[in-house]
């Protein structure tokens, strides 16, 4: 946290004044046995001292509350100010014991809260610098873990969270002690925390729940590390295709999640046989409104196991066509050719018709049409089309997966001779580029050899007897027609 000097100086000045008053108060308590003042004078002097110190603390809280770092605690600030005002009122009207209790508790709580903030900021700065610095031990640790120099160290966030928890647990214990909680009270809290307590027919053990949460976090991270190890280790699943690797990693992720949750629930003391009751309750919910969710969930499992589509496949689902980017347990993400992302529920992939252009291989057949004039030399046209198909590097030639480039005359109509250039591509992803290249090269070759491309034509017959005269009257037909 950084403050500007012009805003930091008044805060430090007020803090020094409060510290001086506190030292004075402690000194006065130590010599109170030799105090020459009368009991009434001592009470009056203590009241004045309380009011002055409360006013200084009130001003300090008011000042710091306007700082950006403390604006995240508006409710806490309001409660502290109201408590200070109430303590000052009790001091003024003479409730000495209540005033002393509130005065000591509030000041110790504010002191503990301030110290806690200081230590939490210190801990945050320490872990941030630890994660970003490139010192000797950070370099050795990254080298040991196989990380790059710019990659953050793992587990930093968990060490930081544990440090924060330790700091604020210490602050909470000090505040409870300041408000009068004795050693017996701390012992009782520890007892209930470990042995637990009953609420109705339920027995809750906070210690076991804390252990269960920590174990759950640990198992989740172990599951993540296993997935990372499998994806990076080519000796295990590296020989598989990308779709198979994705399916294996997805199954590992979901299986690890279920196992982690079951172990955590068992550690927390939840009887797993009670899950049958929960499953029965869920079945009622499924019958009323969760059919689609369960349908997508089961469909996702089927897709992961049968793998009719895989990550990276070019598919068409209804009017949506694109590449499979991600397959989750509920939906499949398809990236279309115009770079939009479409989330398709898994149930549609199971129940509907899906075209997978890359299921067994990526070979694709293209039928490229050309309209040629009726007076063209048919053998020459076929020869030119085949030659251009053979010259393209992405077209399969003598390959058992396809047929060599072929020119086909498949239609003769009133407008043109309809030729088709049939070619097979090894990679369907190059479909549009190859079509563009072949159309351009074929048209150029035809024009070089004086082959005329056909255009749509329409014959118009004019009947002279039906021509309208200039005066706008219809001419009468002649003859017997």
């Amino acid at each position: 946290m950084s403050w500007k000097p012009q805003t930091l100086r008044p805060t430090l000045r007020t803090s020094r004044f409060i510290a001086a008053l506190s030292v004075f108060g402690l000194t006065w308590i130590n010599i109170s046995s030799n105090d020459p003042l009368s009991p009434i004078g001592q009470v009056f002097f203590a009241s004045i001292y309380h009011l002055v110190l409360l006013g200084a603390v009130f001003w300090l809280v008011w000042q710091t509350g306007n700082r950006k770092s403390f604006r995240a605690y508006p409710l806490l600030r309001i409660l502290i100010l109201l408590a200070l005002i109430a303590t000052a009122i009790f001091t003024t009207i003479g409730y000495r014991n209540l005033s002393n209790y509130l005065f000591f508790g509030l000041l110790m709580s504010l002191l503990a809260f301030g110290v806690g903030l200081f230590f939490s900021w210190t801990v945050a700065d320490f872990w941030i610098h630890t994660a970003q610095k490139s010192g000797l031990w950070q370099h050795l640790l990254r080298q040991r873990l196989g990380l790059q120099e710019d990659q953050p160290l793992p587990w930093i966030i968990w060490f930081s969270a544990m440090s924060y928890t330790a700091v604020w647990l210490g602050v909470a214990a000090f505040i409870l002690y300041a408000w009068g909680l004795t050693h017996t009270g701390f012992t009782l809290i520890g007892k209930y925390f470990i042995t637990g307590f009953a609420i109705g027919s339920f027995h809750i053990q906070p210690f076991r729940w804390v252990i269960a949460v920590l174990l759950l976090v640990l198992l989740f991270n172990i599951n993540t590390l296993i997935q990372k190890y499998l994806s990076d280790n080519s000796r295990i699943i590296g020989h598989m295709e990308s779709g198979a690797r994705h399916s294996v990693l997805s199954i590992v992720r979901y299986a690890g999640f279920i196992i982690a949750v079951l172990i955590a629930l068992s550690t927390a003391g939840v009887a797993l046989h009670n899950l049958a009751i929960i499953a029965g309750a869920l079945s009622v919910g499924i019958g009323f409104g969760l059919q689609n969710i369960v349908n997508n969930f089961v469909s996702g499992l089927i897709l992961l196991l049968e793998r009719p589509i895989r990550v990276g496949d070019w598919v068409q689902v209804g009017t949506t066509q694109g590449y499979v980017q991600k397959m989750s347990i509920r939906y499949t993400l398809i990236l279309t050719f115009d770079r939009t992302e479409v989330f398709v529920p898994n149930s549609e992939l199971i129940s509907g018709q899906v075209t997978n252009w890359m299921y067994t291989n990526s070979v694709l057949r293209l039928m490229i049409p050309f309209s040629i004039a009726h007076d063209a030399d048919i053998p020459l046209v076929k020869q030119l089309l085949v030659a251009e198909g053979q010259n393209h590097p992405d077209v399969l030639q003598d390959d058992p997966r396809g047929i060599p480039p072929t020119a086909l005359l498949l239609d003769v109509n009133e407008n043109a001779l309809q030729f088709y250039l049939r070619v097979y591509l090894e990679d369907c992803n190059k479909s549009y580029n190859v079509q563009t290249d072949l159309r351009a090269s074929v048209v150029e070759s035809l024009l070089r050899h004086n082959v005329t491309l056909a255009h749509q034509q329409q014959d118009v017959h004019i009947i002279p007897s039906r021509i309208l005269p200039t005066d706008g009257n219809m001419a009468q037909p002649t003859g017997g027609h």
Side-chain angles (χ1 to χ4, degrees), residues 442-469:
V442 167
V443 169
E444 292 176 356
S445 178
L446 292 174
L447 294 179
R448 283 197 308 268
H449 291 81
N450 298 320
V451 177
T452 305
L453 296 176
H455 302 282
Q456 184 177 4
Q457 59 186 11
Q458 183 176 5
D459 295 335
V460 178
H461 299 276
I462 300 176
I463 303 176
S465 60
R466 296 290 185 177
I467 298 177
L468 293 175

PDB file of all heavy atoms in Angstrom, residues 442-469:
ATOM      1  N   VAL A 442      -7.947 -22.922 -63.937  1.00  0.00           N
ATOM      2  CA  VAL A 442      -8.728 -23.501 -65.038  1.00  0.00           C
ATOM      3  C   VAL A 442      -9.259 -22.404 -65.949  1.00  0.00           C
ATOM      4  O   VAL A 442      -9.205 -22.519 -67.193  1.00  0.00           O
ATOM      5  CB  VAL A 442      -9.869 -24.365 -64.476  1.00  0.00           C
ATOM      6  CG1 VAL A 442     -10.870 -24.717 -65.591  1.00  0.00           C
ATOM      7  CG2 VAL A 442      -9.318 -25.645 -63.873  1.00  0.00           C
ATOM      8  N   VAL A 443      -9.774 -21.324 -65.371  1.00  0.00           N
ATOM      9  CA  VAL A 443     -10.290 -20.234 -66.202  1.00  0.00           C
ATOM     10  C   VAL A 443      -9.169 -19.634 -67.047  1.00  0.00           C
ATOM     11  O   VAL A 443      -9.343 -19.371 -68.256  1.00  0.00           O
ATOM     12  CB  VAL A 443     -10.968 -19.171 -65.311  1.00  0.00           C
ATOM     13  CG1 VAL A 443     -11.269 -17.906 -66.125  1.00  0.00           C
ATOM     14  CG2 VAL A 443     -12.244 -19.718 -64.713  1.00  0.00           C
ATOM     15  N   GLU A 444      -7.997 -19.414 -66.451  1.00  0.00           N
ATOM     16  CA  GLU A 444      -6.876 -18.878 -67.217  1.00  0.00           C
ATOM     17  C   GLU A 444      -6.466 -19.832 -68.347  1.00  0.00           C
ATOM     18  O   GLU A 444      -6.178 -19.407 -69.488  1.00  0.00           O
ATOM     19  CB  GLU A 444      -5.691 -18.623 -66.290  1.00  0.00           C
ATOM     20  CG  GLU A 444      -5.931 -17.496 -65.295  1.00  0.00           C
ATOM     21  CD  GLU A 444      -4.774 -17.334 -64.329  1.00  0.00           C
ATOM     22  OE1 GLU A 444      -3.824 -18.152 -64.400  1.00  0.00           O
ATOM     23  OE2 GLU A 444      -4.796 -16.398 -63.498  1.00  0.00           O
ATOM     24  N   SER A 445      -6.438 -21.132 -68.071  1.00  0.00           N
ATOM     25  CA  SER A 445      -6.059 -22.111 -69.093  1.00  0.00           C
ATOM     26  C   SER A 445      -7.085 -22.151 -70.223  1.00  0.00           C
ATOM     27  O   SER A 445      -6.727 -22.224 -71.410  1.00  0.00           O
ATOM     28  CB  SER A 445      -5.907 -23.495 -68.458  1.00  0.00           C
ATOM     29  OG  SER A 445      -5.579 -24.469 -69.421  1.00  0.00           O
ATOM     30  N   LEU A 446      -8.366 -22.093 -69.895  1.00  0.00           N
ATOM     31  CA  LEU A 446      -9.405 -22.107 -70.927  1.00  0.00           C
ATOM     32  C   LEU A 446      -9.306 -20.877 -71.821  1.00  0.00           C
ATOM     33  O   LEU A 446      -9.450 -20.958 -73.050  1.00  0.00           O
ATOM     34  CB  LEU A 446     -10.782 -22.193 -70.277  1.00  0.00           C
ATOM     35  CG  LEU A 446     -11.124 -23.511 -69.560  1.00  0.00           C
ATOM     36  CD1 LEU A 446     -12.463 -23.390 -68.848  1.00  0.00           C
ATOM     37  CD2 LEU A 446     -11.137 -24.685 -70.533  1.00  0.00           C
ATOM     38  N   LEU A 447      -9.080 -19.713 -71.214  1.00  0.00           N
ATOM     39  CA  LEU A 447      -8.980 -18.490 -72.003  1.00  0.00           C
ATOM     40  C   LEU A 447      -7.744 -18.510 -72.897  1.00  0.00           C
ATOM     41  O   LEU A 447      -7.770 -18.001 -74.023  1.00  0.00           O
ATOM     42  CB  LEU A 447      -8.958 -17.270 -71.069  1.00  0.00           C
ATOM     43  CG  LEU A 447     -10.253 -17.008 -70.278  1.00  0.00           C
ATOM     44  CD1 LEU A 447     -10.089 -15.795 -69.365  1.00  0.00           C
ATOM     45  CD2 LEU A 447     -11.432 -16.817 -71.232  1.00  0.00           C
ATOM     46  N   ARG A 448      -6.646 -19.085 -72.419  1.00  0.00           N
ATOM     47  CA  ARG A 448      -5.445 -19.174 -73.240  1.00  0.00           C
ATOM     48  C   ARG A 448      -5.664 -20.047 -74.475  1.00  0.00           C
ATOM     49  O   ARG A 448      -5.053 -19.829 -75.524  1.00  0.00           O
ATOM     50  CB  ARG A 448      -4.271 -19.734 -72.426  1.00  0.00           C
ATOM     51  CG  ARG A 448      -3.643 -18.731 -71.477  1.00  0.00           C
ATOM     52  CD  ARG A 448      -2.265 -19.208 -71.024  1.00  0.00           C
ATOM     53  NE  ARG A 448      -2.282 -20.561 -70.499  1.00  0.00           N
ATOM     54  CZ  ARG A 448      -2.438 -20.878 -69.220  1.00  0.00           C
ATOM     55  NH1 ARG A 448      -2.605 -19.893 -68.323  1.00  0.00           N
ATOM     56  NH2 ARG A 448      -2.426 -22.136 -68.818  1.00  0.00           N
ATOM     57  N   HIS A 449      -6.528 -21.046 -74.348  1.00  0.00           N
ATOM     58  CA  HIS A 449      -6.786 -21.968 -75.460  1.00  0.00           C
ATOM     59  C   HIS A 449      -8.072 -21.590 -76.196  1.00  0.00           C
ATOM     60  O   HIS A 449      -8.645 -22.433 -76.909  1.00  0.00           O
ATOM     61  CB  HIS A 449      -6.870 -23.406 -74.947  1.00  0.00           C
ATOM     62  CG  HIS A 449      -5.562 -23.962 -74.475  1.00  0.00           C
ATOM     63  ND1 HIS A 449      -5.069 -23.691 -73.232  1.00  0.00           N
ATOM     64  CD2 HIS A 449      -4.629 -24.752 -75.106  1.00  0.00           C
ATOM     65  CE1 HIS A 449      -3.903 -24.314 -73.070  1.00  0.00           C
ATOM     66  NE2 HIS A 449      -3.609 -24.955 -74.211  1.00  0.00           N
ATOM     67  N   ASN A 450      -8.538 -20.359 -76.003  1.00  0.00           N
ATOM     68  CA  ASN A 450      -9.689 -19.824 -76.748  1.00  0.00           C
ATOM     69  C   ASN A 450     -10.959 -20.649 -76.546  1.00  0.00           C
ATOM     70  O   ASN A 450     -11.766 -20.830 -77.475  1.00  0.00           O
ATOM     71  CB  ASN A 450      -9.369 -19.711 -78.251  1.00  0.00           C
ATOM     72  CG  ASN A 450      -8.219 -18.764 -78.528  1.00  0.00           C
ATOM     73  OD1 ASN A 450      -8.114 -17.709 -77.885  1.00  0.00           O
ATOM     74  ND2 ASN A 450      -7.347 -19.145 -79.462  1.00  0.00           N
ATOM     75  N   VAL A 451     -11.109 -21.181 -75.351  1.00  0.00           N
ATOM     76  CA  VAL A 451     -12.335 -21.900 -75.010  1.00  0.00           C
ATOM     77  C   VAL A 451     -13.278 -20.909 -74.350  1.00  0.00           C
ATOM     78  O   VAL A 451     -12.926 -20.251 -73.362  1.00  0.00           O
ATOM     79  CB  VAL A 451     -12.053 -23.090 -74.072  1.00  0.00           C
ATOM     80  CG1 VAL A 451     -13.361 -23.768 -73.669  1.00  0.00           C
ATOM     81  CG2 VAL A 451     -11.120 -24.082 -74.761  1.00  0.00           C
ATOM     82  N   THR A 452     -14.479 -20.796 -74.880  1.00  0.00           N
ATOM     83  CA  THR A 452     -15.437 -19.790 -74.399  1.00  0.00           C
ATOM     84  C   THR A 452     -16.228 -20.329 -73.218  1.00  0.00           C
ATOM     85  O   THR A 452     -16.778 -21.443 -73.273  1.00  0.00           O
ATOM     86  CB  THR A 452     -16.395 -19.394 -75.526  1.00  0.00           C
ATOM     87  OG1 THR A 452     -15.636 -18.954 -76.664  1.00  0.00           O
ATOM     88  CG2 THR A 452     -17.332 -18.289 -75.075  1.00  0.00           C
ATOM     89  N   LEU A 453     -16.264 -19.518 -72.153  1.00  0.00           N
ATOM     90  CA  LEU A 453     -17.106 -19.851 -71.004  1.00  0.00           C
ATOM     91  C   LEU A 453     -18.541 -19.475 -71.319  1.00  0.00           C
ATOM     92  O   LEU A 453     -18.820 -18.416 -71.898  1.00  0.00           O
ATOM     93  CB  LEU A 453     -16.633 -19.104 -69.762  1.00  0.00           C
ATOM     94  CG  LEU A 453     -15.228 -19.453 -69.254  1.00  0.00           C
ATOM     95  CD1 LEU A 453     -14.841 -18.558 -68.075  1.00  0.00           C
ATOM     96  CD2 LEU A 453     -15.153 -20.907 -68.836  1.00  0.00           C
ATOM     97  N   ALA A 454     -19.465 -20.341 -70.969  1.00  0.00           N
ATOM     98  CA  ALA A 454     -20.874 -20.123 -71.291  1.00  0.00           C
ATOM     99  C   ALA A 454     -21.500 -19.121 -70.342  1.00  0.00           C
ATOM    100  O   ALA A 454     -21.092 -18.972 -69.184  1.00  0.00           O
ATOM    101  CB  ALA A 454     -21.630 -21.444 -71.233  1.00  0.00           C
ATOM    102  N   HIS A 455     -22.501 -18.418 -70.875  1.00  0.00           N
ATOM    103  CA  HIS A 455     -23.294 -17.484 -70.076  1.00  0.00           C
ATOM    104  C   HIS A 455     -24.760 -17.847 -70.260  1.00  0.00           C
ATOM    105  O   HIS A 455     -25.166 -18.402 -71.300  1.00  0.00           O
ATOM    106  CB  HIS A 455     -23.046 -16.048 -70.515  1.00  0.00           C
ATOM    107  CG  HIS A 455     -21.599 -15.635 -70.418  1.00  0.00           C
ATOM    108  ND1 HIS A 455     -20.987 -15.303 -69.242  1.00  0.00           N
ATOM    109  CD2 HIS A 455     -20.644 -15.520 -71.393  1.00  0.00           C
ATOM    110  CE1 HIS A 455     -19.715 -14.987 -69.469  1.00  0.00           C
ATOM    111  NE2 HIS A 455     -19.479 -15.120 -70.777  1.00  0.00           N
ATOM    112  N   GLN A 456     -25.536 -17.500 -69.302  1.00  0.00           N
ATOM    113  CA  GLN A 456     -26.964 -17.789 -69.419  1.00  0.00           C
ATOM    114  C   GLN A 456     -27.551 -16.980 -70.560  1.00  0.00           C
ATOM    115  O   GLN A 456     -27.294 -15.771 -70.688  1.00  0.00           O
ATOM    116  CB  GLN A 456     -27.678 -17.451 -68.101  1.00  0.00           C
ATOM    117  CG  GLN A 456     -29.138 -17.831 -68.134  1.00  0.00           C
ATOM    118  CD  GLN A 456     -29.816 -17.567 -66.799  1.00  0.00           C
ATOM    119  OE1 GLN A 456     -29.196 -17.027 -65.901  1.00  0.00           O
ATOM    120  NE2 GLN A 456     -31.063 -17.945 -66.686  1.00  0.00           N
ATOM    121  N   GLN A 457     -28.307 -17.623 -71.416  1.00  0.00           N
ATOM    122  CA  GLN A 457     -28.878 -16.954 -72.568  1.00  0.00           C
ATOM    123  C   GLN A 457     -30.385 -17.192 -72.610  1.00  0.00           C
ATOM    124  O   GLN A 457     -30.899 -18.174 -72.069  1.00  0.00           O
ATOM    125  CB  GLN A 457     -28.238 -17.455 -73.862  1.00  0.00           C
ATOM    126  CG  GLN A 457     -28.395 -18.954 -74.097  1.00  0.00           C
ATOM    127  CD  GLN A 457     -27.615 -19.430 -75.318  1.00  0.00           C
ATOM    128  OE1 GLN A 457     -26.810 -18.699 -75.868  1.00  0.00           O
ATOM    129  NE2 GLN A 457     -27.890 -20.655 -75.743  1.00  0.00           N
ATOM    130  N   GLN A 458     -31.056 -16.239 -73.301  1.00  0.00           N
ATOM    131  CA  GLN A 458     -32.507 -16.295 -73.406  1.00  0.00           C
ATOM    132  C   GLN A 458     -32.920 -15.805 -74.778  1.00  0.00           C
ATOM    133  O   GLN A 458     -32.492 -14.719 -75.217  1.00  0.00           O
ATOM    134  CB  GLN A 458     -33.161 -15.434 -72.314  1.00  0.00           C
ATOM    135  CG  GLN A 458     -34.678 -15.511 -72.317  1.00  0.00           C
ATOM    136  CD  GLN A 458     -35.273 -14.733 -71.155  1.00  0.00           C
ATOM    137  OE1 GLN A 458     -34.545 -14.082 -70.422  1.00  0.00           O
ATOM    138  NE2 GLN A 458     -36.573 -14.790 -71.011  1.00  0.00           N
ATOM    139  N   ASP A 459     -33.696 -16.594 -75.499  1.00  0.00           N
ATOM    140  CA  ASP A 459     -34.161 -16.232 -76.844  1.00  0.00           C
ATOM    141  C   ASP A 459     -35.444 -15.434 -76.749  1.00  0.00           C
ATOM    142  O   ASP A 459     -36.392 -15.819 -76.035  1.00  0.00           O
ATOM    143  CB  ASP A 459     -34.389 -17.474 -77.694  1.00  0.00           C
ATOM    144  CG  ASP A 459     -33.091 -18.233 -77.960  1.00  0.00           C
ATOM    145  OD1 ASP A 459     -32.020 -17.572 -77.920  1.00  0.00           O
ATOM    146  OD2 ASP A 459     -33.142 -19.464 -78.179  1.00  0.00           O
ATOM    147  N   VAL A 460     -35.490 -14.303 -77.477  1.00  0.00           N
ATOM    148  CA  VAL A 460     -36.676 -13.440 -77.508  1.00  0.00           C
ATOM    149  C   VAL A 460     -37.199 -13.414 -78.946  1.00  0.00           C
ATOM    150  O   VAL A 460     -36.451 -13.078 -79.894  1.00  0.00           O
ATOM    151  CB  VAL A 460     -36.328 -12.006 -77.043  1.00  0.00           C
ATOM    152  CG1 VAL A 460     -37.555 -11.114 -77.119  1.00  0.00           C
ATOM    153  CG2 VAL A 460     -35.776 -12.048 -75.631  1.00  0.00           C
ATOM    154  N   HIS A 461     -38.430 -13.789 -79.158  1.00  0.00           N
ATOM    155  CA  HIS A 461     -39.084 -13.807 -80.477  1.00  0.00           C
ATOM    156  C   HIS A 461     -40.066 -12.645 -80.565  1.00  0.00           C
ATOM    157  O   HIS A 461     -40.944 -12.510 -79.704  1.00  0.00           O
ATOM    158  CB  HIS A 461     -39.819 -15.130 -80.697  1.00  0.00           C
ATOM    159  CG  HIS A 461     -38.913 -16.328 -80.654  1.00  0.00           C
ATOM    160  ND1 HIS A 461     -38.193 -16.760 -81.749  1.00  0.00           N
ATOM    161  CD2 HIS A 461     -38.608 -17.193 -79.649  1.00  0.00           C
ATOM    162  CE1 HIS A 461     -37.487 -17.823 -81.430  1.00  0.00           C
ATOM    163  NE2 HIS A 461     -37.715 -18.101 -80.140  1.00  0.00           N
ATOM    164  N   ILE A 462     -39.906 -11.804 -81.599  1.00  0.00           N
ATOM    165  CA  ILE A 462     -40.766 -10.630 -81.794  1.00  0.00           C
ATOM    166  C   ILE A 462     -41.780 -10.937 -82.893  1.00  0.00           C
ATOM    167  O   ILE A 462     -41.414 -11.330 -84.009  1.00  0.00           O
ATOM    168  CB  ILE A 462     -39.925  -9.407 -82.170  1.00  0.00           C
ATOM    169  CG1 ILE A 462     -38.921  -9.105 -81.029  1.00  0.00           C
ATOM    170  CG2 ILE A 462     -40.811  -8.196 -82.422  1.00  0.00           C
ATOM    171  CD1 ILE A 462     -37.988  -7.976 -81.364  1.00  0.00           C
ATOM    172  N   ILE A 463     -43.041 -10.794 -82.614  1.00  0.00           N
ATOM    173  CA  ILE A 463     -44.128 -11.000 -83.585  1.00  0.00           C
ATOM    174  C   ILE A 463     -44.535  -9.623 -84.095  1.00  0.00           C
ATOM    175  O   ILE A 463     -45.053  -8.802 -83.323  1.00  0.00           O
ATOM    176  CB  ILE A 463     -45.318 -11.721 -82.937  1.00  0.00           C
ATOM    177  CG1 ILE A 463     -44.850 -13.069 -82.335  1.00  0.00           C
ATOM    178  CG2 ILE A 463     -46.454 -11.935 -83.938  1.00  0.00           C
ATOM    179  CD1 ILE A 463     -45.941 -13.793 -81.587  1.00  0.00           C
ATOM    180  N   PRO A 464     -44.290  -9.342 -85.378  1.00  0.00           N
ATOM    181  CA  PRO A 464     -44.579  -7.988 -85.878  1.00  0.00           C
ATOM    182  C   PRO A 464     -46.023  -7.576 -85.705  1.00  0.00           C
ATOM    183  O   PRO A 464     -46.325  -6.417 -85.427  1.00  0.00           O
ATOM    184  CB  PRO A 464     -44.195  -8.081 -87.366  1.00  0.00           C
ATOM    185  CG  PRO A 464     -43.206  -9.207 -87.428  1.00  0.00           C
ATOM    186  CD  PRO A 464     -43.655 -10.199 -86.391  1.00  0.00           C
ATOM    187  N   SER A 465     -46.960  -8.505 -85.891  1.00  0.00           N
ATOM    188  CA  SER A 465     -48.373  -8.141 -85.795  1.00  0.00           C
ATOM    189  C   SER A 465     -48.782  -7.755 -84.381  1.00  0.00           C
ATOM    190  O   SER A 465     -49.862  -7.233 -84.168  1.00  0.00           O
ATOM    191  CB  SER A 465     -49.251  -9.298 -86.293  1.00  0.00           C
ATOM    192  OG  SER A 465     -49.014 -10.451 -85.486  1.00  0.00           O
ATOM    193  N   ARG A 466     -47.919  -8.055 -83.383  1.00  0.00           N
ATOM    194  CA  ARG A 466     -48.258  -7.750 -81.994  1.00  0.00           C
ATOM    195  C   ARG A 466     -47.605  -6.461 -81.502  1.00  0.00           C
ATOM    196  O   ARG A 466     -47.727  -6.128 -80.340  1.00  0.00           O
ATOM    197  CB  ARG A 466     -47.816  -8.900 -81.089  1.00  0.00           C
ATOM    198  CG  ARG A 466     -48.538 -10.211 -81.352  1.00  0.00           C
ATOM    199  CD  ARG A 466     -49.985 -10.159 -80.912  1.00  0.00           C
ATOM    200  NE  ARG A 466     -50.641 -11.445 -81.053  1.00  0.00           N
ATOM    201  CZ  ARG A 466     -51.898 -11.678 -80.685  1.00  0.00           C
ATOM    202  NH1 ARG A 466     -52.613 -10.705 -80.155  1.00  0.00           N
ATOM    203  NH2 ARG A 466     -52.442 -12.873 -80.861  1.00  0.00           N
ATOM    204  N   ILE A 467     -46.866  -5.756 -82.427  1.00  0.00           N
ATOM    205  CA  ILE A 467     -46.160  -4.554 -81.992  1.00  0.00           C
ATOM    206  C   ILE A 467     -47.166  -3.434 -81.791  1.00  0.00           C
ATOM    207  O   ILE A 467     -48.056  -3.209 -82.619  1.00  0.00           O
ATOM    208  CB  ILE A 467     -45.117  -4.146 -83.046  1.00  0.00           C
ATOM    209  CG1 ILE A 467     -44.069  -5.268 -83.201  1.00  0.00           C
ATOM    210  CG2 ILE A 467     -44.450  -2.835 -82.680  1.00  0.00           C
ATOM    211  CD1 ILE A 467     -43.053  -4.974 -84.276  1.00  0.00           C
ATOM    212  N   LEU A 468     -47.052  -2.726 -80.718  1.00  0.00           N
ATOM    213  CA  LEU A 468     -47.948  -1.615 -80.410  1.00  0.00           C
ATOM    214  C   LEU A 468     -47.615  -0.419 -81.286  1.00  0.00           C
ATOM    215  O   LEU A 468     -46.433  -0.080 -81.447  1.00  0.00           O
ATOM    216  CB  LEU A 468     -47.843  -1.213 -78.941  1.00  0.00           C
ATOM    217  CG  LEU A 468     -48.355  -2.239 -77.927  1.00  0.00           C
ATOM    218  CD1 LEU A 468     -48.066  -1.751 -76.526  1.00  0.00           C
ATOM    219  CD2 LEU A 468     -49.844  -2.471 -78.117  1.00  0.00           C
ATOM    220  N   PRO A 469     -48.583   0.238 -81.854  1.00  0.00           N
ATOM    221  CA  PRO A 469     -48.320   1.464 -82.621  1.00  0.00           C
ATOM    222  C   PRO A 469     -47.925   2.608 -81.711  1.00  0.00           C
ATOM    223  O   PRO A 469     -48.086   2.540 -80.493  1.00  0.00           O
ATOM    224  CB  PRO A 469     -49.658   1.735 -83.330  1.00  0.00           C
ATOM    225  CG  PRO A 469     -50.681   1.108 -82.441  1.00  0.00           C
ATOM    226  CD  PRO A 469     -50.016  -0.134 -81.865  1.00  0.00           C
TER     227      PRO A 469
END
